[in-house]
Amino acid sequence: MQYKRILLKLSGEALMGDRQYGIDPKRLKEYAQEIKQVLATGVEIAIVIGGGNIFRGVAGAANGMDRVQGDHMGMLATCINGLALQSALEDEDVHTRLQTALEIKEVAEPYIKRKAIRHLEKGRVVIFGAGTGNPYFTTDTAAVLRAIEIDADAILKGTRVNGIYNVDPEKDKNAIKFDTITFKDVIKKGLKVMDMTAFTLSEENKLPIIVFDMNTKGNLLKLISGEQIGTVVDN
Ligand code: GTP
């Protein structure tokens, strides 16, 4: 087994499925089933989920809202998604804990690194909500930060494209996919993997990033089993 402990980053938008807004129960169930399969292989799984299907702070700011206010709304949105994912996982009989970076004690545990690690060791899926708890940071940054803190072997970034290409594959059908690429080459070629804060944090801490298509059934399990899925960014 290639990985002992992973941090899975899921986008909030992906939870919309074919909808324009909110959570698609079918997509949520599919994700829960994929995660359950991978957990059964013995890998420890932590998850950071975005909130863009409900609210994006940046979009709020673009419409004249105070950025900090908007980011707080975005953080709460990730908690809503975290609760939804927790329910979906528990429907599949997966043990979970939700920990949040902002305290909402009646709803979820506060983020405590040592507790998170104990939960993982006991085979529970730990979902981290509320991003980093700070405005001006993305959930990608939260994912990298938590991955480093819990000593994950890699961050698996689930997207709707199956990896990193030299040009946008949704705009150019001749786009070429990289199987592996270095952090330095991503920057040199001006490719977009994560925002720079998240990306450099990952590079400095030698945390590999794997970008893969989470919406193709079985992909997550294949990736964990060592198949060439997506693109690996490494030193
Ligand atoms: P271990 O006993 O170490 O295996 O962990 P545990 O999570 O089972 O123990 P704990 O007694 O801490 O938690 C029992 C339940 O209460 C779990 O479902 C936790 O998620 C939940 N829980 C623990 N702390 C909090 C909290 O501060 N707020 C909320 N809402 N739930 C909590």
Side-chain angles (χ1 to χ4, degrees), residues 54-200:
I54 298 169
F55 194 84
R56 297 185 75 87
V58 178
N63 292 323
M65 182 183 276
D66 177 72
R67 172 71 192 264
V68 175
Q69 195 83 349
D71 281 344
H72 283 154
M73 292 170 71
M75 285 181 231
L76 294 175
T78 71
C79 295
I80 294 175
N81 284 337
L83 285 165
L85 185 61
Q86 180 173 41
S87 292
L89 284 165
E90 288 183 345
D91 282 346
E92 301 295 325
D93 299 317
V94 173
H95 294 283
T96 66
R97 293 291 184 268
L98 173 63
Q99 292 197 340
T100 56
L102 295 174
E103 277 203 20
I104 33 172
K105 270 204 192 137
E106 291 75 5
V107 177
E109 292 180 24
Y111 170 65
I112 298 168
K113 175 196 148 167
R114 283 166 182 272
K115 272 192 78 115
I117 288 174
R118 280 300 287 143
H119 293 322
L120 291 169
E121 287 169 349
K122 289 184 178 179
R124 296 165 184 154
V125 171
V126 180
I127 305 165
F128 297 120
T132 68
N134 298 292
Y136 295 100
F137 290 95
T138 60
T139 45
D140 275 352
T141 302
V144 175
L145 177 65
R146 293 293 182 246
I148 296 164
E149 285 185 278
I150 63 167
D151 201 19
D153 301 313
I155 171 160
L156 274 49
K157 184 176 156 82
T159 62
R160 55 201 171 100
V161 253
N162 66 346
I164 302 168
Y165 287 75
N166 62 338
V167 286
D168 186 346
E170 288 181 343
K171 289 189 187 133
D172 186 341
K173 63 176 171 32
N174 296 319
I176 299 162
K177 182 177 151 259
F178 298 100
D179 287 344
T180 58
I181 188 166
T182 62
F183 284 97
K184 288 206 167 42
D185 278 348
V186 167
I187 293 173
K188 206 159 69 189
K189 292 179 198 293
L191 304 173
K192 255 195 93 266
V193 177
M194 288 179 173
D195 63 276
M196 282 312 277
T197 311
F199 191 77
T200 53

